Amino acid sequence: MQFALNIGLQFHTPEEYFLGWKVAPFCLPAFDPRECTSTGRLYDPPSASLTSSRPEVIVAVGFPASGKSTFFQTHMIPKGYLQVSRDELGSWQNCVSKCREALRKGQSVVIDNTNPDPESRKRYVDVANAEGVPCRCFNFSLSLDQAKHNNRFREMVPSDVKHAKVNDMVFHSYK
């Protein structure tokens, strides 16, 4: 039914079409990508500077598949920020070490993990404080349904960005 909807075709079940049954009830998913627009603000407040000329740490917070990696690849990495990701480094300990190493070289860092709780975020705040650099948090706010949609989409579409497979248990545990 969703495929037919996406390409503008009428949809009928075999029972409806061949046996004349009444239209079967169907509920569309809560998230409808047709309602998304690209006219919204990229970040808030709009007067804020997205990047800094001085070293800093940016800690991402958001569901898996909320667009963190894509955002950083598009807006931060080209400006010289180092992307630190548990998907690539394997553990939070390795991420903290990589962050500290980059800051000591004078490089800004984006922490591209879900960072769902104060404890996980504090690790990077502490490193930033120890190295005397500011630390900001970028909150990627979207619904669970949209994150699941994004996850399914990235499973179907080839990409240069490597993503770990995410199942419902991971989404609900983050929530």
Side-chain angles (χ1 to χ4, degrees):
M1 178 172 242
Q2 287 176 289
F3 177 73
L5 182 65
N6 285 338
I7 61 172
L9 294 176
Q10 286 187 347
F11 176 82
H12 301 282
T13 65
E15 294 80 7
E16 292 167 9
Y17 191 79
F18 293 109
L19 301 176
W21 290 13
K22 66 179 183 173
V23 175
F26 181 82
C27 294
L28 289 171
F31 172 71
D32 184 348
R34 297 170 302 169
E35 294 176 3
C36 286
T37 68
S38 60
T39 59
R41 287 193 290 225
L42 184 59
Y43 53 92
D44 210 10
S47 60
S49 177
L50 188 58
T51 59
S52 174
S53 58
R54 295 181 27 227
E56 70 173 336
V57 174
I58 295 175
V59 179
V61 175
F63 278 115
S66 61
K68 299 177 302 294
S69 298
T70 301
F71 180 85
F72 291 142
Q73 287 291 331
T74 304
H75 301 286
M76 310 305 283
I77 307 309
K79 302 290 186 186
Y81 283 69
L82 175 70
Q83 186 174 21
V84 172
S85 169
R86 192 170 176 175
D87 287 348
E88 293 176 15
L89 298 175
S91 71
W92 67 262
Q93 292 91 341
N94 289 342
C95 291
V96 167
S97 294
K98 191 75 167 179
C99 177
R100 184 178 293 113
E101 178 185 317
L103 291 175
R104 288 182 177 166
K105 292 177 183 175
Q107 187 173 17
S108 290
V109 180
V110 291
I111 308 300
D112 184 11
N113 301 326
T114 59
N115 299 304
D117 53 50
E119 179 185 350
S120 62
R121 297 185 291 270
K122 184 177 184 314
R123 296 171 184 142
Y124 304 104
V125 172
D126 289 347
V127 170
N129 286 338
E131 298 301 323
V133 300
C135 184
R136 296 189 287 162
C137 176
F138 284 16
N139 182 29
F140 291 76
S141 55
L142 69 153
S143 69
L144 173 61
D145 291 322
Q146 184 173 355
K148 286 182 171 186
H149 168 84
N150 291 354
N151 183 59
R152 183 67 186 119
F153 182 82
R154 73 184 187 188
E155 287 175 354
M156 296 185 308
V157 177
S159 171
D160 293 338
V161 180
K162 178 188 169 214
H163 295 288
K165 187 169 174 74
V166 182
N167 62 39
D168 278 356
M169 183 185 75
V170 172
F171 281 110
H172 289 286
S173 127
Y174 176 86
K175 184 180 173 194

